Every structure is written in C-alpha cells, then in structure tokens.
Amino acid sequence: MQLVKAGLCAFGMSGKIFHAPFLKEHPGFFISAVVERSKEESKEKYPEATIYRSVEEMLQHADVELVIINTPVQTHYEYARMALEAGKNIIVEKPFTVNVSEAEELVQLAEEKGLFLSVYQNRRFDRDFLQVQKVLNEQKIGNIKEAEIRFDRFRTTPSGKQHKESPDQVGSGSLHDLGAHLVDQAVQYFGYPEKLFADVFSMKGKEFANDYFEILLFYKNDLRVRLKTSVFSKEGHYAYTIHGDRGTFLQERTDNQENELVAGAIPVYGKEWTQPLKEADGILNFLNDYSETERILTSSEAGNYMDYYQQIYEHIVFGYALPSPGIEVIQNMKIIDASLESAKEERIVKL
C-alpha cells in the first residue's frame, strides 16, 4: 500500500482530535512530522513523528508530501503559501482564510505548482448532514421551499482564545467558525445563492467578536434558506428544518464524533466506530403518492471523518475526486464576506 507521509502544523485540539487519530489509524498515511513550539505531547501517541519547533523548520527539513494547516485561521494564508512554495500538497482547516482574496491567491498558487489544496470540511461527514442529504435525494417532501440550518450553543462566558473572540482579530467570531460549516452545508444542499441579507453581532458585547449571526439566502427559484447560530441557546432546536411542497423533514444534530474523540475513542479504519443512536433523531412528515399523510420517525446512519482522509488518499493514489477543493470553498468565503458587508451596511447583497 502506498504510504503518504504527512506533517501537522500544530498539536492543539484540532491536531489531537480531528487529524492525528485518523492519520494514525489509516494504513495509507504516516505521521512523519508534528510542530510543537515548546511541548512534546505528541511523543506519547505518535513517537514515530519528528517534533519541529516551527512550521518553517518542518517545511525545510521534514520528509513529508502532505501538510495539514491546522493553526489559527489568521495564520492559514501565511503557512499555506509557505507549504505550497515548498512543493507540498496541503489540507487547510476551515474557514480556509480570513477573506476571499487570500483564498483565491492560494488556489491559484496550488494550480501553478501542480499541487492540491483541500479544505477540511469535516461536517460533510456528520451523520445528521448525511441524513438530510439522503432525504433531499429521495424527494419525498417535493420541491424545497424553505430551509433552516442552525448550530446553537450555550457558551455565555469568554473562552480566552483571542484568535477566536477578539474583535480586533480579522477572521475571529462565530461567522468564520461555525458559519463556515453552515454556509458549506447550504451550498452543498442547494447550490450557490443569488443574494443574501445578514445580521451579525456579538451578544456578549462589543469587546468580543461576533457570537450570533442570521443569514438569509435568496435563490432564483424563490427558495429561502436561513442559517443561524447563537451562544445563548440553553434549549436545543432542530438543527435542520426543511419544508417542501409535499412535506417537512426535521433533523436533530446528533453526530457525536467530536465528543467521542475527546473522550478517547479510537477511530477504526474501514468500519463504524461511533456509538449507535439510542432513539430516532428525525421526523419525516409528507404526502405519499396517494395524497395520504405519512409521519415517520427516522434514524440517521453513522458518519465517519475517516471518509475524508480516505478520499484524500484515493485522490493521491488513484486520482479520484478531491474532497472540498479550495476552488469550491471559495464560494463559501464569498458568502461569509458578503454577510459581513450586509450586516455592516444593513442591506441585501447580491452575489
């Protein structure tokens, strides 16, 4: 089996939870290098990886062909450019960059160098996202007229992470963080919208970056898609509400991969590794072919972030389609930039 040598640009939560376990358990990857500026935490689980004290040092000395840019978003452009200039294929954490122009420049550079650039949109592999996609493909609820995708939390106190919460840091706040997921899901389901209107601000106060947003996407076929997040949501909502001309589908956000990984779960290559659902997590209510109402409790099938790295491996080895290529995610960045413009100017922005 061809072995792909990979390097991680950081070993914080993202490296420990979303990347290293999957690279370790996938037989086609080898973690050759990890950047830890002062600690050596990776040695316990990944003793085979050489520790470097900077991204620059790793790119100069490490034997890697794939570099994962899993540092704060404000550094993505700099490190991604350095890695591409060094001749490395790259995976960049969402939301890719802090603005569209940076994203476009990186995509162009990767193309010029004959390298690939993928953005780590892991929530495309969540069980709830996949279940909504399945229901949409079945078309039981007819032509979609209205949809809402939410990602709510109850986090009313500061986390202390300046790169995520300081209003002085470009790219900080919920819009670039959770918004990168919700925007990506909307585009995956319904395509690129025609225009949008957005409300973006901080519920915790002006001394913090935005922690609330509501984006209304307008489509040419009169479809309306609402994206929303709040950190003052003690009780949950259905994460996905989809209304069509023949019915409605409601889906809870039940993917638990992140929590299980934090608790120490080890992903298994080639099979499901998450805990099964204990009860139904969706409601499908629609008119059947006889115009009779059917109301069905649905249960989503397990998601698996390993599938992302499997697709990366198949692209490298077999030339199969690249998951979430940079050129595709630029569309998401345009929506995020336009949302900030809309909120600032209090107007509808055409895309």
Side-chain angles (χ1 to χ4, degrees):
M1 193 173 195
Q2 182 176 329
L3 203 59
V4 177
K5 296 180 180 179
L8 290 167
C9 287
F11 199 65
M13 177 184 173
S14 174
K16 294 174 184 176
I17 301 303
F18 294 117
H19 298 289
F22 297 95
L23 292 166
K24 173 75 172 180
E25 297 304 318
H26 193 295
F29 290 98
F30 177 78
I31 303 177
S32 182
V34 176
V35 175
E36 292 193 72
R37 297 190 178 276
S38 58
K39 302 177 181 179
E40 295 189 351
E41 294 181 335
S42 60
K43 271 190 174 181
E44 180 181 351
K45 291 185 177 180
Y46 313 100
E48 67 279 3
T50 301
I51 295 175
Y52 294 92
R53 295 309 184 188
S54 69
V55 175
E56 294 89 337
E57 183 186 15
M58 180 182 73
L59 292 175
Q60 184 176 357
H61 298 290
D63 180 17
V64 296
E65 60 182 287
L66 175 65
V67 172
I68 294 91
I69 315 293
N70 59 319
T71 51
V73 64
Q74 292 82 7
T75 66
H76 285 186
Y77 171 77
E78 176 188 0
Y79 291 153
R81 186 173 183 83
M82 287 169 50
L84 291 171
E85 293 285 8
K88 313 299 183 184
N89 295 305
I90 60 173
I91 293 170
V92 185
E93 275 275 4
K94 62 81 191 169
F96 194 179
T97 59
V98 299
N99 57 48
V100 172
S101 61
E102 289 185 350
E104 290 176 332
E105 187 176 332
L106 292 175
V107 168
Q108 182 178 348
L109 180 60
E111 185 176 345
E112 291 172 355
K113 295 285 186 178
L115 300 166
F116 74 72
L117 189 166
S118 172
V119 180
Y120 184 65
Q121 294 286 171
N122 62 309
R123 300 243 172 233
R124 295 187 188 184
F125 302 90
D126 279 358
R127 67 186 310 144
D128 33 73
F129 170 80
L130 294 170
Q131 178 68 9
V132 174
Q133 187 68 74
K134 177 183 175 183
V135 169
L136 291 174
N137 289 342
E138 291 173 346
Q139 299 182 325
K140 289 182 178 179
I141 60 175
N143 296 316
I144 308 305
K145 295 296 185 180
E146 179 188 6
E148 181 176 79
I149 308 175
R150 306 179 63 113
F151 203 135
D152 295 309
R153 290 171 168 169
F154 189 69
R155 295 183 179 179
T156 60
T157 57
S159 70
K161 296 179 179 178
Q162 290 298 304
H163 67 279
K164 286 192 172 184
E165 292 188 331
S166 171
D168 299 324
Q169 292 273 4
V170 179
S172 63
S174 290
L175 180 59
H176 279 80
D177 185 18
L178 295 180
H181 291 307
L182 300 191
V183 168
D184 184 70
Q185 292 184 351
V187 173
Q188 288 298 298
Y189 290 149
F190 307 112
Y192 196 61
E194 184 180 28
K195 53 189 175 181
L196 63 78
F197 181 78
D199 181 21
V200 184
F201 74 104
S202 172
M203 285 186 163
K204 289 197 291 289
K206 293 183 179 179
E207 64 271 29
F208 299 100
N210 63 81
D211 56 21
Y212 169 96
F213 65 78
E214 183 169 5
I215 305 169
L216 184 60
L217 304 176
F218 300 82
Y219 286 82
K220 291 182 178 179
N221 57 355
D222 291 332
L223 168 66
R224 298 290 186 269
V225 177
R226 182 175 290 102
L227 312 177
K228 187 173 181 180
T229 191
S230 167
V231 292
F232 285 84
S233 184
K234 185 65 171 172
E235 285 286 341
H237 304 265
Y238 280 101
Y240 306 84
T241 301
I242 316 292
H243 298 299
D245 57 10
R246 295 192 63 81
T248 289
F249 180 60
L250 306 176
Q251 173 66 44
E252 298 178 42
R253 190 174 299 284
T254 52
D255 193 278
N256 205 38
Q257 291 180 80
E258 180 177 341
N259 293 332
E260 291 186 40
L261 290 164
V262 169
I266 304 298
V268 181
Y269 175 74
K271 62 173 67 174
E272 293 181 12
W273 55 272
T274 55
Q275 295 295 317
L277 285 178
K278 295 182 179 179
E279 55 188 27
D281 61 344
I283 300 173
L284 180 60
N285 189 327
F286 67 101
L287 296 174
N288 62 24
D289 293 339
Y290 304 99
S291 296
E292 299 170 339
T293 296
E294 292 190 35
R295 188 177 188 274
I296 303 170
L297 298 181
T298 60
S299 296
S300 58
E301 297 180 1
N304 194 345
Y305 298 154
M306 185 69 81
D307 291 343
Y308 172 82
Y309 272 108
Q310 177 63 18
Q311 290 180 22
I312 289 289
Y313 185 78
E314 291 175 348
H315 175 75
I316 294 172
V317 177
F318 306 115
Y320 293 172
L322 180 69
S324 49
I327 187 66
E328 178 181 288
V329 181
I330 282 175
Q331 289 188 319
N332 301 350
M333 298 298 303
K334 288 180 178 179
I335 291 173
I336 290 173
D337 280 9
S339 296
L340 290 172
E341 179 184 349
S342 174
K344 181 179 180 180
E345 300 184 4
E346 299 181 344
R347 66 178 179 86
I348 292 174
V349 174
K350 291 186 177 181
L351 295 166

